[in-house]
Amino acid sequence: MFLDAVLARNPRLAETAAALHRDGRIPPDTYVMDLDAVEENAAVLAARADGLGLRLWFVVKQVGRNPELIRAVARHIPRFAAIDPPEARALHAAGARAGNLGHLVQIPRRALPEMLAWRPEAVTVFDTANARAVSAEARRQGIVQDVLVRIEGAPGAAFPGQEGGVPPGHLDAFAEEVERLPGVRIAGVTAFPCLTCDPDSGEAHPTATFDRVLAARDLLAGRGHGPLKLSAPGATCAATLPLLARRGATHGEPGHALTGTTPLHSADPSQPERPAYVYVSEVAHILADGRPALFGGGFYPRGTVTAAYLPRSGERLPVQDAPAENIDYYRLLERPRRPGTAQVGDTAVLAFRTQVFVTRSHVAVVSGLSTDGRPVLTGLYDPFGRPVHGGRS
């Protein structure tokens, strides 16, 4: 999906990743991250948002909650949106500041004392029970916590596994109850996704859920709340920030834009953010019919992987589809036309959209790719950001 973009716009990343594997410094099933490109992308996003009067909360689940990458992004975008408590802890431990907690996954009640002590800018609540829990803990800590109201997604626009939120028809009653809670203040609204990309053109469009969020903000403003935040996550990148600003959002939540891997970047490689990672595997064995099998572990089912580059032979082979319900012990390539194109032990470099935190992959961080100096492997981590094999953070 992104292999052409990487080879055209960040060829040293592909070359360095292949060399690291060839030299035995990283194993197969490793995402190699370009630290310099991630930081450059964060700087682009921060500058573009600042010019539009928007604020950003960054997200890192897609890069494995990696401490080096968190610190690089936080130098330009100081606050984060954490999708769940483990991610929030990783971000906090790396020194980033809490922006929005409860973004996709509600904060478990027993984790509220820890996380409210960080003084997050906002906590997203899906219903009155969670608002009451936040209020009770905020009172124990002697604070009033700002909350964002999660609005239920429009029919057909919400993703399975992400159900929840206040239905628009229940918002008045919800607000009336929450307004009586002494430990919280309604500070804004959010939902997901507010933008989505056309699968063919990559062009971003507002969803019906975004319209619901706008209507919810107006209703809450009519009840005397304000000024209200409106966070509109989904395909947040430099190209979509003007759309968010025009529609009245106050916040965006960039994730894949930090690595140049939104659907817009697949359709238009000239986007401002540069591609910042590749996936490295290895030919594990070759089937009797000639098809090479790569070691798996990081083939995210929604990644739309299409091709693998084999540096030793200089050839590219199509990647065969695999059912999402199966474990990716291996991933098959199409049989090469030329004998010797693929051999057991060969390095394979791929680039596709991923969510590292749901894989079993390693993450290698490389710096120096944006300079004329020698690239440096600065650390090797598991998919949750913990150092492994002597990698340092």
Side-chain angles (χ1 to χ4, degrees), residues 55 57 79 98-103 106-107 112 115-116 118-125 130-131 133-135 137-139 142-150 174 178 181-190 225-230 251:
R55 297 180 67 186
W57 293 319
R79 290 189 179 269
N100 180 16
L101 304 182
H103 162 74
Q106 292 289 270
I107 303 174
L112 283 169
M115 295 187 181
L116 292 194
W118 302 343
R119 301 298 184 260
E121 186 176 343
V123 171
T124 294
V125 293
N130 278 280
V134 172
S135 176
E137 179 55 35
R139 288 195 73 192
I143 62 171
V144 176
Q145 176 62 56
D146 280 357
V147 297
L148 301 185
V149 183
R150 162 76 174 234
F174 170 90
V178 174
L181 299 175
V184 294
R185 182 181 77 90
I186 294 176
V189 290
T190 189
H225 297 282
L228 290 166
K229 297 178 174 67
L230 193 161
H251 288 70

Side-chain angles (χ1 to χ4, degrees), residues 43-54:
V44 166
L45 287 158
R48 185 71 59 92
D50 186 62
L52 293 165
L54 291 169

Side-chain angles (χ1 to χ4, degrees), residues 14-30:
E15 294 165 4
T16 300
L20 288 171
H21 176 259
R22 184 183 62 242
D23 296 344
R25 300 185 67 194
I26 61 172
D29 184 26
T30 295

Side-chain angles (χ1 to χ4, degrees), residues 368-380:
L369 287 168
S370 294
T371 68
D372 292 332
R374 183 177 180 181
V376 176
L377 175 65
T378 61
L380 188 65

